[in-house]
Amino acid sequence: MTRFSRPDVPARGPERRGLMFVLSSPSGAGKTTLSRALLAEDGDITMSVSATTRPPRPGEVDGVDYYFVSPDQFQTMIEGNALLEWATVFGNRYGTPRRPVEDSLAAGRDVLFDIDWQGTQQLQQTDAASDLVRVFILPPHLAELERRLIGRNTDHPEVIADRMARACDEIRHWGEYDYVLVNDDAETCLNEIRAILKAERLRRKRQLGLANFVRGMLGE
Amino acid sequence: MTRFSRPDVPARGPERRGLMFVLSSPSGAGKTTLSRALLAEDGDITMSVSATTRPPRPGEVDGVDYYFVSPDQFQTMIEGNALLEWATVFGNRYGTPRRPVEDSLAAGRDVLFDIDWQGTQQLQQTDAASDLVRVFILPPHLAELERRLIGRNTDHPEVIADRMARACDEIRHWGEYDYVLVNDDAETCLNEIRAILKAERLRRKRQLGLANFVRGMLGE
């Protein structure tokens, strides 16, 4: 006489909570290429779309590249706690609308954030911190970025110095991230990003369906 | 005039601290097969060898399968804080010698532990907790294990019931692990184990060489 039966439902894919996948890096570390490759191949992660008060540039689509809002609308979003994080850059405001992110996480879908150390710090201070997976991408060196900026032959030396200083400033925050990658080979680095995402999805705390699954297995 | 130079040393492989990779599961979840496959393909992880007071069985090699020690020697190891965890099973004592594990971790090599929830709890309570990565492997159901035990036709019903009870007892501790896998396909499950190991090796806290690497990049 047996007690344990084979369940009717497949074991794979107990429901899970999505995660917030942050990629930060200085300019020139290849982050944009890596993000695009990840988004193109992985249907379970989508890019977070920021709200901004900056006017659209030619070709930019509202709701795809940004949510374009007025300064008043932006202020209303802040006051209504409708933004997860926000910042002012060169007089324009940028922020992450809370609702689409929370809807995605609850639906078991991951959200990719292409933000700097300041945005990451802000997210870490919210109650979303336990959903956060913070990845920092380092370039193998800064010589390539400097050479590229100089090679353009269009920027004043002080512009170049300013951009290099910004890259160094970003790099100094590597210690605030969960994972750190050195991108000296794009395919190797993409494989590392894939592994981190795959592993983080298997964390017990994100697999909300496991408790029921185990109860069913034990016949309880 | 450039300031940042390409470093002479390769960027990959800043020194890292090894990790303690715990695989726990009830009987019949395929853990032994998965462990062997991982050890065979991955040169950076070795199996932890336990000390035991049980006599060697034919074919077992001292220092490979177990460190075979006398009860007095085992007691001396406990009193000298030379064991990370230990337990008594059916009158025999089993334990994990501290020194080989600590040497491996310091040398940047990982150690695989095939231990149950009690051993895992003991490791979690030591100062090695931050080196610990705890993975629990669930079977898709218990019907297979029960059928296999019954099919042997050699075990008394109470032995079968006892083995099933032990499996259920182990499963009830799934909530104490960092990652939980459901092994309904060995290759999928092995891929998940590979991803977890790859990701955990990329954790900032284990990459001890990063601080120096970044200082060199910034020319500091």
Side-chain angles (χ1 to χ4, degrees), chain A residues 131-166:
Chain A
D131 295 317
L132 216 55
V133 177
R134 298 164 300 173
V135 179
F136 197 88
I137 302 170
L138 286 168
H141 51 77
L142 286 171
E144 173 83 16
L145 175 61
E146 190 179 38
R147 193 172 54 235
R148 207 192 312 158
L149 291 173
I150 293 173
R152 283 186 195 170
N153 238 345
T154 56
D155 294 330
H156 287 283
E158 57 267 38
V159 172
I160 293 173
D162 181 61
R163 284 174 188 254
M164 291 308 294
R166 283 187 63 136

PDB file of all heavy atoms in Angstrom, chain A residues 131-166:
ATOM      1  N   ASP A 131      14.132  42.776  -2.787  1.00  0.00           N
ATOM      2  CA  ASP A 131      13.941  42.355  -4.176  1.00  0.00           C
ATOM      3  C   ASP A 131      15.131  42.735  -5.060  1.00  0.00           C
ATOM      4  O   ASP A 131      15.171  42.417  -6.248  1.00  0.00           O
ATOM      5  CB  ASP A 131      12.681  43.025  -4.763  1.00  0.00           C
ATOM      6  CG  ASP A 131      11.420  42.551  -4.072  1.00  0.00           C
ATOM      7  OD1 ASP A 131      11.310  41.339  -3.823  1.00  0.00           O
ATOM      8  OD2 ASP A 131      10.548  43.393  -3.788  1.00  0.00           O
ATOM      9  N   LEU A 132      16.095  43.428  -4.484  1.00  0.00           N
ATOM     10  CA  LEU A 132      17.172  44.041  -5.255  1.00  0.00           C
ATOM     11  C   LEU A 132      18.355  43.087  -5.447  1.00  0.00           C
ATOM     12  O   LEU A 132      18.783  42.427  -4.502  1.00  0.00           O
ATOM     13  CB  LEU A 132      17.657  45.266  -4.478  1.00  0.00           C
ATOM     14  CG  LEU A 132      18.087  46.506  -5.229  1.00  0.00           C
ATOM     15  CD1 LEU A 132      16.992  46.982  -6.160  1.00  0.00           C
ATOM     16  CD2 LEU A 132      18.423  47.615  -4.227  1.00  0.00           C
ATOM     17  N   VAL A 133      18.869  43.013  -6.678  1.00  0.00           N
ATOM     18  CA  VAL A 133      20.114  42.302  -6.970  1.00  0.00           C
ATOM     19  C   VAL A 133      21.015  43.306  -7.673  1.00  0.00           C
ATOM     20  O   VAL A 133      20.722  43.738  -8.789  1.00  0.00           O
ATOM     21  CB  VAL A 133      19.862  41.078  -7.872  1.00  0.00           C
ATOM     22  CG1 VAL A 133      21.174  40.394  -8.222  1.00  0.00           C
ATOM     23  CG2 VAL A 133      18.907  40.102  -7.199  1.00  0.00           C
ATOM     24  N   ARG A 134      22.095  43.700  -7.015  1.00  0.00           N
ATOM     25  CA  ARG A 134      22.922  44.803  -7.502  1.00  0.00           C
ATOM     26  C   ARG A 134      24.220  44.289  -8.121  1.00  0.00           C
ATOM     27  O   ARG A 134      25.025  43.651  -7.446  1.00  0.00           O
ATOM     28  CB  ARG A 134      23.239  45.746  -6.347  1.00  0.00           C
ATOM     29  CG  ARG A 134      21.998  46.397  -5.730  1.00  0.00           C
ATOM     30  CD  ARG A 134      22.320  46.982  -4.381  1.00  0.00           C
ATOM     31  NE  ARG A 134      22.790  45.945  -3.463  1.00  0.00           N
ATOM     32  CZ  ARG A 134      23.274  46.181  -2.257  1.00  0.00           C
ATOM     33  NH1 ARG A 134      23.380  47.417  -1.792  1.00  0.00           N
ATOM     34  NH2 ARG A 134      23.660  45.182  -1.486  1.00  0.00           N
ATOM     35  N   VAL A 135      24.397  44.581  -9.401  1.00  0.00           N
ATOM     36  CA  VAL A 135      25.575  44.111 -10.136  1.00  0.00           C
ATOM     37  C   VAL A 135      26.368  45.319 -10.626  1.00  0.00           C
ATOM     38  O   VAL A 135      25.798  46.219 -11.259  1.00  0.00           O
ATOM     39  CB  VAL A 135      25.160  43.241 -11.344  1.00  0.00           C
ATOM     40  CG1 VAL A 135      26.394  42.775 -12.117  1.00  0.00           C
ATOM     41  CG2 VAL A 135      24.327  42.046 -10.882  1.00  0.00           C
ATOM     42  N   PHE A 136      27.655  45.335 -10.347  1.00  0.00           N
ATOM     43  CA  PHE A 136      28.516  46.413 -10.828  1.00  0.00           C
ATOM     44  C   PHE A 136      29.457  45.852 -11.881  1.00  0.00           C
ATOM     45  O   PHE A 136      30.081  44.810 -11.684  1.00  0.00           O
ATOM     46  CB  PHE A 136      29.329  47.007  -9.671  1.00  0.00           C
ATOM     47  CG  PHE A 136      29.911  48.351  -9.999  1.00  0.00           C
ATOM     48  CD1 PHE A 136      29.171  49.501  -9.773  1.00  0.00           C
ATOM     49  CD2 PHE A 136      31.179  48.463 -10.558  1.00  0.00           C
ATOM     50  CE1 PHE A 136      29.692  50.752 -10.089  1.00  0.00           C
ATOM     51  CE2 PHE A 136      31.698  49.710 -10.885  1.00  0.00           C
ATOM     52  CZ  PHE A 136      30.951  50.852 -10.653  1.00  0.00           C
ATOM     53  N   ILE A 137      29.533  46.554 -13.021  1.00  0.00           N
ATOM     54  CA  ILE A 137      30.405  46.114 -14.104  1.00  0.00           C
ATOM     55  C   ILE A 137      31.600  47.052 -14.197  1.00  0.00           C
ATOM     56  O   ILE A 137      31.444  48.251 -14.449  1.00  0.00           O
ATOM     57  CB  ILE A 137      29.645  46.079 -15.444  1.00  0.00           C
ATOM     58  CG1 ILE A 137      28.445  45.140 -15.319  1.00  0.00           C
ATOM     59  CG2 ILE A 137      30.560  45.628 -16.577  1.00  0.00           C
ATOM     60  CD1 ILE A 137      27.489  45.215 -16.486  1.00  0.00           C
ATOM     61  N   LEU A 138      32.787  46.493 -13.991  1.00  0.00           N
ATOM     62  CA  LEU A 138      34.027  47.267 -14.114  1.00  0.00           C
ATOM     63  C   LEU A 138      34.625  47.060 -15.498  1.00  0.00           C
ATOM     64  O   LEU A 138      34.574  45.953 -16.038  1.00  0.00           O
ATOM     65  CB  LEU A 138      35.051  46.782 -13.083  1.00  0.00           C
ATOM     66  CG  LEU A 138      34.843  47.166 -11.620  1.00  0.00           C
ATOM     67  CD1 LEU A 138      35.786  46.361 -10.742  1.00  0.00           C
ATOM     68  CD2 LEU A 138      35.052  48.666 -11.429  1.00  0.00           C
ATOM     69  N   PRO A 139      35.211  48.099 -16.064  1.00  0.00           N
ATOM     70  CA  PRO A 139      36.039  47.879 -17.252  1.00  0.00           C
ATOM     71  C   PRO A 139      37.362  47.263 -16.792  1.00  0.00           C
ATOM     72  O   PRO A 139      37.696  47.367 -15.616  1.00  0.00           O
ATOM     73  CB  PRO A 139      36.256  49.302 -17.786  1.00  0.00           C
ATOM     74  CG  PRO A 139      36.228  50.159 -16.558  1.00  0.00           C
ATOM     75  CD  PRO A 139      35.265  49.495 -15.597  1.00  0.00           C
ATOM     76  N   PRO A 140      38.100  46.620 -17.705  1.00  0.00           N
ATOM     77  CA  PRO A 140      39.396  46.066 -17.276  1.00  0.00           C
ATOM     78  C   PRO A 140      40.400  47.174 -16.945  1.00  0.00           C
ATOM     79  O   PRO A 140      41.336  46.958 -16.186  1.00  0.00           O
ATOM     80  CB  PRO A 140      39.853  45.234 -18.470  1.00  0.00           C
ATOM     81  CG  PRO A 140      39.041  45.699 -19.624  1.00  0.00           C
ATOM     82  CD  PRO A 140      37.764  46.247 -19.085  1.00  0.00           C
ATOM     83  N   HIS A 141      40.210  48.359 -17.527  1.00  0.00           N
ATOM     84  CA  HIS A 141      41.079  49.514 -17.267  1.00  0.00           C
ATOM     85  C   HIS A 141      40.378  50.749 -17.804  1.00  0.00           C
ATOM     86  O   HIS A 141      39.336  50.644 -18.466  1.00  0.00           O
ATOM     87  CB  HIS A 141      42.447  49.330 -17.932  1.00  0.00           C
ATOM     88  CG  HIS A 141      42.336  48.960 -19.380  1.00  0.00           C
ATOM     89  ND1 HIS A 141      42.033  49.891 -20.354  1.00  0.00           N
ATOM     90  CD2 HIS A 141      42.412  47.765 -20.006  1.00  0.00           C
ATOM     91  CE1 HIS A 141      41.952  49.269 -21.522  1.00  0.00           C
ATOM     92  NE2 HIS A 141      42.176  47.982 -21.338  1.00  0.00           N
ATOM     93  N   LEU A 142      40.938  51.934 -17.565  1.00  0.00           N
ATOM     94  CA  LEU A 142      40.317  53.177 -18.029  1.00  0.00           C
ATOM     95  C   LEU A 142      41.020  53.764 -19.251  1.00  0.00           C
ATOM     96  O   LEU A 142      40.582  54.786 -19.790  1.00  0.00           O
ATOM     97  CB  LEU A 142      40.277  54.208 -16.895  1.00  0.00           C
ATOM     98  CG  LEU A 142      39.225  53.890 -15.820  1.00  0.00           C
ATOM     99  CD1 LEU A 142      39.384  54.813 -14.624  1.00  0.00           C
ATOM    100  CD2 LEU A 142      37.811  54.020 -16.388  1.00  0.00           C
ATOM    101  N   ALA A 143      42.097  53.118 -19.699  1.00  0.00           N
ATOM    102  CA  ALA A 143      42.866  53.653 -20.826  1.00  0.00           C
ATOM    103  C   ALA A 143      42.013  53.735 -22.096  1.00  0.00           C
ATOM    104  O   ALA A 143      42.077  54.708 -22.846  1.00  0.00           O
ATOM    105  CB  ALA A 143      44.111  52.789 -21.067  1.00  0.00           C
ATOM    106  N   GLU A 144      41.183  52.723 -22.305  1.00  0.00           N
ATOM    107  CA  GLU A 144      40.338  52.655 -23.503  1.00  0.00           C
ATOM    108  C   GLU A 144      39.333  53.801 -23.539  1.00  0.00           C
ATOM    109  O   GLU A 144      39.170  54.470 -24.569  1.00  0.00           O
ATOM    110  CB  GLU A 144      39.594  51.315 -23.490  1.00  0.00           C
ATOM    111  CG  GLU A 144      38.556  51.128 -24.566  1.00  0.00           C
ATOM    112  CD  GLU A 144      39.167  50.675 -25.867  1.00  0.00           C
ATOM    113  OE1 GLU A 144      40.331  50.227 -25.839  1.00  0.00           O
ATOM    114  OE2 GLU A 144      38.487  50.794 -26.907  1.00  0.00           O
ATOM    115  N   LEU A 145      38.659  54.067 -22.432  1.00  0.00           N
ATOM    116  CA  LEU A 145      37.680  55.155 -22.362  1.00  0.00           C
ATOM    117  C   LEU A 145      38.368  56.500 -22.628  1.00  0.00           C
ATOM    118  O   LEU A 145      37.886  57.312 -23.420  1.00  0.00           O
ATOM    119  CB  LEU A 145      37.006  55.174 -20.989  1.00  0.00           C
ATOM    120  CG  LEU A 145      36.039  56.342 -20.723  1.00  0.00           C
ATOM    121  CD1 LEU A 145      34.872  56.354 -21.697  1.00  0.00           C
ATOM    122  CD2 LEU A 145      35.521  56.295 -19.284  1.00  0.00           C
ATOM    123  N   GLU A 146      39.505  56.715 -22.005  1.00  0.00           N
ATOM    124  CA  GLU A 146      40.235  57.973 -22.184  1.00  0.00           C
ATOM    125  C   GLU A 146      40.660  58.150 -23.642  1.00  0.00           C
ATOM    126  O   GLU A 146      40.500  59.219 -24.221  1.00  0.00           O
ATOM    127  CB  GLU A 146      41.459  57.991 -21.260  1.00  0.00           C
ATOM    128  CG  GLU A 146      42.132  59.352 -21.199  1.00  0.00           C
ATOM    129  CD  GLU A 146      43.325  59.350 -20.251  1.00  0.00           C
ATOM    130  OE1 GLU A 146      44.060  58.340 -20.218  1.00  0.00           O
ATOM    131  OE2 GLU A 146      43.507  60.356 -19.553  1.00  0.00           O
ATOM    132  N   ARG A 147      41.170  57.068 -24.234  1.00  0.00           N
ATOM    133  CA  ARG A 147      41.626  57.151 -25.622  1.00  0.00           C
ATOM    134  C   ARG A 147      40.451  57.463 -26.553  1.00  0.00           C
ATOM    135  O   ARG A 147      40.561  58.255 -27.488  1.00  0.00           O
ATOM    136  CB  ARG A 147      42.300  55.837 -26.038  1.00  0.00           C
ATOM    137  CG  ARG A 147      43.070  55.947 -27.349  1.00  0.00           C
ATOM    138  CD  ARG A 147      43.882  54.684 -27.617  1.00  0.00           C
ATOM    139  NE  ARG A 147      43.055  53.495 -27.560  1.00  0.00           N
ATOM    140  CZ  ARG A 147      43.305  52.451 -26.792  1.00  0.00           C
ATOM    141  NH1 ARG A 147      44.363  52.427 -26.007  1.00  0.00           N
ATOM    142  NH2 ARG A 147      42.492  51.412 -26.795  1.00  0.00           N
ATOM    143  N   ARG A 148      39.301  56.848 -26.261  1.00  0.00           N
ATOM    144  CA  ARG A 148      38.132  57.073 -27.110  1.00  0.00           C
ATOM    145  C   ARG A 148      37.678  58.541 -27.018  1.00  0.00           C
ATOM    146  O   ARG A 148      37.353  59.172 -28.018  1.00  0.00           O
ATOM    147  CB  ARG A 148      37.000  56.135 -26.690  1.00  0.00           C
ATOM    148  CG  ARG A 148      36.045  55.812 -27.822  1.00  0.00           C
ATOM    149  CD  ARG A 148      34.771  55.130 -27.337  1.00  0.00           C
ATOM    150  NE  ARG A 148      35.047  54.020 -26.424  1.00  0.00           N
ATOM    151  CZ  ARG A 148      34.171  53.550 -25.550  1.00  0.00           C
ATOM    152  NH1 ARG A 148      32.963  54.110 -25.462  1.00  0.00           N
ATOM    153  NH2 ARG A 148      34.468  52.546 -24.769  1.00  0.00           N
ATOM    154  N   LEU A 149      37.651  59.062 -25.810  1.00  0.00           N
ATOM    155  CA  LEU A 149      37.236  60.462 -25.620  1.00  0.00           C
ATOM    156  C   LEU A 149      38.212  61.420 -26.311  1.00  0.00           C
ATOM    157  O   LEU A 149      37.803  62.386 -26.967  1.00  0.00           O
ATOM    158  CB  LEU A 149      37.148  60.793 -24.125  1.00  0.00           C
ATOM    159  CG  LEU A 149      36.010  60.111 -23.354  1.00  0.00           C
ATOM    160  CD1 LEU A 149      36.140  60.371 -21.859  1.00  0.00           C
ATOM    161  CD2 LEU A 149      34.645  60.584 -23.860  1.00  0.00           C
ATOM    162  N   ILE A 150      39.503  61.143 -26.172  1.00  0.00           N
ATOM    163  CA  ILE A 150      40.506  61.997 -26.822  1.00  0.00           C
ATOM    164  C   ILE A 150      40.416  61.860 -28.338  1.00  0.00           C
ATOM    165  O   ILE A 150      40.501  62.841 -29.077  1.00  0.00           O
ATOM    166  CB  ILE A 150      41.926  61.623 -26.323  1.00  0.00           C
ATOM    167  CG1 ILE A 150      42.054  61.995 -24.838  1.00  0.00           C
ATOM    168  CG2 ILE A 150      43.002  62.313 -27.152  1.00  0.00           C
ATOM    169  CD1 ILE A 150      43.337  61.516 -24.192  1.00  0.00           C
ATOM    170  N   GLY A 151      40.180  60.614 -28.786  1.00  0.00           N
ATOM    171  CA  GLY A 151      40.149  60.327 -30.225  1.00  0.00           C
ATOM    172  C   GLY A 151      39.023  61.024 -30.966  1.00  0.00           C
ATOM    173  O   GLY A 151      39.116  61.264 -32.175  1.00  0.00           O
ATOM    174  N   ARG A 152      37.959  61.377 -30.255  1.00  0.00           N
ATOM    175  CA  ARG A 152      36.851  62.084 -30.900  1.00  0.00           C
ATOM    176  C   ARG A 152      37.301  63.422 -31.464  1.00  0.00           C
ATOM    177  O   ARG A 152      36.725  63.924 -32.420  1.00  0.00           O
ATOM    178  CB  ARG A 152      35.745  62.378 -29.883  1.00  0.00           C
ATOM    179  CG  ARG A 152      34.874  61.214 -29.527  1.00  0.00           C
ATOM    180  CD  ARG A 152      33.774  61.746 -28.634  1.00  0.00           C
ATOM    181  NE  ARG A 152      33.071  60.699 -27.945  1.00  0.00           N
ATOM    182  CZ  ARG A 152      32.208  60.922 -26.965  1.00  0.00           C
ATOM    183  NH1 ARG A 152      31.990  62.177 -26.553  1.00  0.00           N
ATOM    184  NH2 ARG A 152      31.580  59.942 -26.396  1.00  0.00           N
ATOM    185  N   ASN A 153      38.281  64.018 -30.751  1.00  0.00           N
ATOM    186  CA  ASN A 153      38.841  65.287 -31.203  1.00  0.00           C
ATOM    187  C   ASN A 153      37.813  66.416 -31.216  1.00  0.00           C
ATOM    188  O   ASN A 153      37.973  67.402 -31.910  1.00  0.00           O
ATOM    189  CB  ASN A 153      39.434  65.135 -32.618  1.00  0.00           C
ATOM    190  CG  ASN A 153      40.905  65.515 -32.606  1.00  0.00           C
ATOM    191  OD1 ASN A 153      41.384  66.130 -31.650  1.00  0.00           O
ATOM    192  ND2 ASN A 153      41.611  65.177 -33.675  1.00  0.00           N
ATOM    193  N   THR A 154      36.703  66.235 -30.513  1.00  0.00           N
ATOM    194  CA  THR A 154      35.662  67.267 -30.512  1.00  0.00           C
ATOM    195  C   THR A 154      35.482  67.860 -29.112  1.00  0.00           C
ATOM    196  O   THR A 154      34.961  68.961 -28.975  1.00  0.00           O
ATOM    197  CB  THR A 154      34.296  66.678 -30.935  1.00  0.00           C
ATOM    198  OG1 THR A 154      33.995  65.588 -30.056  1.00  0.00           O
ATOM    199  CG2 THR A 154      34.346  66.186 -32.354  1.00  0.00           C
ATOM    200  N   ASP A 155      35.905  67.134 -28.117  1.00  0.00           N
ATOM    201  CA  ASP A 155      35.660  67.606 -26.763  1.00  0.00           C
ATOM    202  C   ASP A 155      36.838  68.415 -26.243  1.00  0.00           C
ATOM    203  O   ASP A 155      37.992  68.096 -26.501  1.00  0.00           O
ATOM    204  CB  ASP A 155      35.420  66.414 -25.822  1.00  0.00           C
ATOM    205  CG  ASP A 155      34.135  65.678 -26.166  1.00  0.00           C
ATOM    206  OD1 ASP A 155      33.195  66.326 -26.662  1.00  0.00           O
ATOM    207  OD2 ASP A 155      34.085  64.460 -25.952  1.00  0.00           O
ATOM    208  N   HIS A 156      36.526  69.482 -25.527  1.00  0.00           N
ATOM    209  CA  HIS A 156      37.565  70.247 -24.855  1.00  0.00           C
ATOM    210  C   HIS A 156      38.220  69.381 -23.781  1.00  0.00           C
ATOM    211  O   HIS A 156      37.571  68.503 -23.219  1.00  0.00           O
ATOM    212  CB  HIS A 156      36.963  71.504 -24.206  1.00  0.00           C
ATOM    213  CG  HIS A 156      36.595  72.542 -25.207  1.00  0.00           C
ATOM    214  ND1 HIS A 156      37.530  73.360 -25.814  1.00  0.00           N
ATOM    215  CD2 HIS A 156      35.399  72.900 -25.727  1.00  0.00           C
ATOM    216  CE1 HIS A 156      36.906  74.169 -26.655  1.00  0.00           C
ATOM    217  NE2 HIS A 156      35.620  73.897 -26.632  1.00  0.00           N
ATOM    218  N   PRO A 157      39.483  69.644 -23.484  1.00  0.00           N
ATOM    219  CA  PRO A 157      40.167  68.862 -22.443  1.00  0.00           C
ATOM    220  C   PRO A 157      39.403  68.850 -21.129  1.00  0.00           C
ATOM    221  O   PRO A 157      39.362  67.816 -20.447  1.00  0.00           O
ATOM    222  CB  PRO A 157      41.514  69.590 -22.294  1.00  0.00           C
ATOM    223  CG  PRO A 157      41.746  70.225 -23.617  1.00  0.00           C
ATOM    224  CD  PRO A 157      40.387  70.606 -24.137  1.00  0.00           C
ATOM    225  N   GLU A 158      38.746  69.983 -20.802  1.00  0.00           N
ATOM    226  CA  GLU A 158      38.049  69.963 -19.505  1.00  0.00           C
ATOM    227  C   GLU A 158      36.807  69.063 -19.556  1.00  0.00           C
ATOM    228  O   GLU A 158      36.404  68.482 -18.545  1.00  0.00           O
ATOM    229  CB  GLU A 158      37.690  71.379 -19.015  1.00  0.00           C
ATOM    230  CG  GLU A 158      36.859  72.188 -19.962  1.00  0.00           C
ATOM    231  CD  GLU A 158      37.712  73.065 -20.874  1.00  0.00           C
ATOM    232  OE1 GLU A 158      38.798  72.611 -21.308  1.00  0.00           O
ATOM    233  OE2 GLU A 158      37.281  74.184 -21.176  1.00  0.00           O
ATOM    234  N   VAL A 159      36.187  68.938 -20.750  1.00  0.00           N
ATOM    235  CA  VAL A 159      35.050  68.016 -20.883  1.00  0.00           C
ATOM    236  C   VAL A 159      35.537  66.577 -20.694  1.00  0.00           C
ATOM    237  O   VAL A 159      34.909  65.772 -20.001  1.00  0.00           O
ATOM    238  CB  VAL A 159      34.358  68.183 -22.257  1.00  0.00           C
ATOM    239  CG1 VAL A 159      33.304  67.101 -22.457  1.00  0.00           C
ATOM    240  CG2 VAL A 159      33.735  69.569 -22.372  1.00  0.00           C
ATOM    241  N   ILE A 160      36.673  66.278 -21.331  1.00  0.00           N
ATOM    242  CA  ILE A 160      37.248  64.938 -21.196  1.00  0.00           C
ATOM    243  C   ILE A 160      37.595  64.658 -19.734  1.00  0.00           C
ATOM    244  O   ILE A 160      37.256  63.605 -19.185  1.00  0.00           O
ATOM    245  CB  ILE A 160      38.503  64.796 -22.089  1.00  0.00           C
ATOM    246  CG1 ILE A 160      38.082  64.848 -23.565  1.00  0.00           C
ATOM    247  CG2 ILE A 160      39.258  63.506 -21.787  1.00  0.00           C
ATOM    248  CD1 ILE A 160      39.241  64.894 -24.542  1.00  0.00           C
ATOM    249  N   ALA A 161      38.234  65.621 -19.103  1.00  0.00           N
ATOM    250  CA  ALA A 161      38.611  65.444 -17.690  1.00  0.00           C
ATOM    251  C   ALA A 161      37.366  65.231 -16.831  1.00  0.00           C
ATOM    252  O   ALA A 161      37.357  64.397 -15.920  1.00  0.00           O
ATOM    253  CB  ALA A 161      39.406  66.649 -17.201  1.00  0.00           C
ATOM    254  N   ASP A 162      36.290  65.965 -17.155  1.00  0.00           N
ATOM    255  CA  ASP A 162      35.057  65.834 -16.386  1.00  0.00           C
ATOM    256  C   ASP A 162      34.452  64.442 -16.557  1.00  0.00           C
ATOM    257  O   ASP A 162      33.988  63.821 -15.594  1.00  0.00           O
ATOM    258  CB  ASP A 162      34.056  66.910 -16.845  1.00  0.00           C
ATOM    259  CG  ASP A 162      32.763  66.825 -16.054  1.00  0.00           C
ATOM    260  OD1 ASP A 162      32.818  66.993 -14.826  1.00  0.00           O
ATOM    261  OD2 ASP A 162      31.705  66.570 -16.676  1.00  0.00           O
ATOM    262  N   ARG A 163      34.462  63.942 -17.794  1.00  0.00           N
ATOM    263  CA  ARG A 163      33.902  62.602 -18.027  1.00  0.00           C
ATOM    264  C   ARG A 163      34.732  61.521 -17.352  1.00  0.00           C
ATOM    265  O   ARG A 163      34.194  60.543 -16.827  1.00  0.00           O
ATOM    266  CB  ARG A 163      33.811  62.330 -19.527  1.00  0.00           C
ATOM    267  CG  ARG A 163      32.649  63.085 -20.150  1.00  0.00           C
ATOM    268  CD  ARG A 163      32.615  62.947 -21.659  1.00  0.00           C
ATOM    269  NE  ARG A 163      31.595  63.846 -22.196  1.00  0.00           N
ATOM    270  CZ  ARG A 163      30.428  63.433 -22.666  1.00  0.00           C
ATOM    271  NH1 ARG A 163      30.130  62.165 -22.685  1.00  0.00           N
ATOM    272  NH2 ARG A 163      29.552  64.307 -23.124  1.00  0.00           N
ATOM    273  N   MET A 164      36.040  61.675 -17.389  1.00  0.00           N
ATOM    274  CA  MET A 164      36.896  60.695 -16.709  1.00  0.00           C
ATOM    275  C   MET A 164      36.661  60.748 -15.192  1.00  0.00           C
ATOM    276  O   MET A 164      36.631  59.711 -14.528  1.00  0.00           O
ATOM    277  CB  MET A 164      38.382  60.963 -17.019  1.00  0.00           C
ATOM    278  CG  MET A 164      38.797  60.693 -18.469  1.00  0.00           C
ATOM    279  SD  MET A 164      38.333  59.053 -19.111  1.00  0.00           S
ATOM    280  CE  MET A 164      39.348  57.984 -18.093  1.00  0.00           C
ATOM    281  N   ALA A 165      36.469  61.962 -14.680  1.00  0.00           N
ATOM    282  CA  ALA A 165      36.229  62.097 -13.232  1.00  0.00           C
ATOM    283  C   ALA A 165      34.910  61.431 -12.841  1.00  0.00           C
ATOM    284  O   ALA A 165      34.795  60.791 -11.793  1.00  0.00           O
ATOM    285  CB  ALA A 165      36.221  63.569 -12.838  1.00  0.00           C
ATOM    286  N   ARG A 166      33.893  61.575 -13.730  1.00  0.00           N
ATOM    287  CA  ARG A 166      32.606  60.923 -13.449  1.00  0.00           C
ATOM    288  C   ARG A 166      32.735  59.405 -13.442  1.00  0.00           C
ATOM    289  O   ARG A 166      32.137  58.712 -12.618  1.00  0.00           O
ATOM    290  CB  ARG A 166      31.550  61.343 -14.487  1.00  0.00           C
ATOM    291  CG  ARG A 166      30.990  62.729 -14.253  1.00  0.00           C
ATOM    292  CD  ARG A 166      29.846  63.006 -15.207  1.00  0.00           C
ATOM    293  NE  ARG A 166      28.737  62.085 -14.976  1.00  0.00           N
ATOM    294  CZ  ARG A 166      27.465  62.450 -14.928  1.00  0.00           C
ATOM    295  NH1 ARG A 166      27.139  63.726 -15.080  1.00  0.00           N
ATOM    296  NH2 ARG A 166      26.522  61.573 -14.728  1.00  0.00           N
TER     297      ARG A 166
END
